[in-house]
Amino acid sequence: MTDDNKQVLRICLTPGEPAGIGPDLCVQLAQHTLACELVVVADSDMLAARAQALGLPLQTFLFDPYAPPETHYPGTLNVISIPLAAQCVPGQLNPANASYVLDTLRRATAGCRNGEFAALVTGPVHKAVINDAGIAFTGHTEFLAQLTAAPQAVMMLAAPGLRVALVTTHLPINEVSNALNAPLLERVLRVLHADLVKKFRIVRPRILVCGLNPHAGEGGHLGREEIDVIAPVLDNLRSEGMNLTGPLAADTVFTPKNLAAADAVLAMYHDQGLPVLKYIGFGRAVNITLGLPMIRTSVDHGTALELAARGGADVGSLVAALQQAIELAGT
């Protein structure tokens, strides 16, 4: 218990791809003083080996779910140990460990659902190697939605001064237009609005909505998705009281004047909104999954295989993701 008698939050962390920098980041994070209890779901021997490679002190302890949560002590980690399927060589992907990565997520999610953990923080996964193992996988957002039977999960990244949510996530560009439809857009907007109110305590969120096409379709001359899909949904939801502006041209929506009057921007596809956000806050940005019956945050970067076990990984985004999880879980 803390001095002010508030219960210490118990946060779960999955390192992600074992051959990447996720384990490095866990070991680096373990050196910090943290305002929570941290429980890592990973192979404990792999974490110990990575700590040794980095030259950092680390004591691992088997997680005891019956013990009262205590704030993290630097240089230690509570671990729910899930064994690797095959030996991990830092920097070298092995499809045999794809099932291990997903098993860590399953265990962590189950712990969030049953009340063991107040939130889940995830390290970076490598989508391609999971697919190479014969497992259909498009990303954390979709996988966690499937695990929790969430009707609609929404991917949102947040950096200082900017939040960007996505209608479609990990799709090829040539599939985006066909995927964009009125029911999907309405579901995403309802989730985004509801979680900005509930989780971020914004009374009446101001959301800027991008168009899909250049110049937001330019009156139909550059595409009709704005006229046929986006505008009707926005009109309908505005009639219910949502504060929505758009469809707006994506090349000008991210100006300081527009963002000063917004709580979030909704982009139609991944690379419409995220390059701007990562330019503003890479290394400090946090990936937040909205619409889940649990709190999940993540880093804003990939596995960086070339840095694994070499000591060059920046822990900043993981620190920010953990702090965001603590804040959301404490509301």
Side-chain angles (χ1 to χ4, degrees), residues 167 176-177 180-186 189 208-217 223-238 244-250 266-269 272:
V167 178
V176 171
S177 179
L180 180 63
N181 56 63
L184 172 63
L185 179 58
E186 180 175 336
L189 275 165
L208 306 183
V209 181
C210 296
L212 174 66
N213 298 294
H215 304 171
R224 292 194 53 86
E225 286 85 355
E226 290 76 13
I227 295 170
D228 296 338
V229 177
I230 301 173
V233 171
L234 300 188
D235 289 341
N236 179 53
L237 295 179
R238 276 193 287 258
L244 307 173
T245 303
L248 300 171
L266 181 64
M268 294 298 115
Y269 58 94
Q272 185 181 56

Side-chain angles (χ1 to χ4, degrees), residues 248-321:
L248 300 171
D251 62 347
T252 55
V253 72
F254 294 101
T255 59
K257 181 179 179 181
N258 284 334
L259 295 181
D263 296 301
V265 175
L266 181 64
M268 294 298 115
Y269 58 94
H270 188 281
D271 281 13
Q272 185 181 56
L274 297 194
V276 179
L277 183 134
K278 292 190 178 186
Y279 173 76
I280 289 174
F282 190 72
R284 299 171 296 153
V286 179
N287 187 347
I288 306 161
T289 305
L290 308 179
L292 299 179
M294 54 183 271
I295 293 167
R296 179 260 173 167
T297 67
S298 189
V299 295
D300 69 345
H301 56 73
T303 54
L305 297 168
E306 71 282 1
L307 297 178
R310 297 190 176 189
D314 185 347
V315 75
S317 183
L318 184 58
V319 171

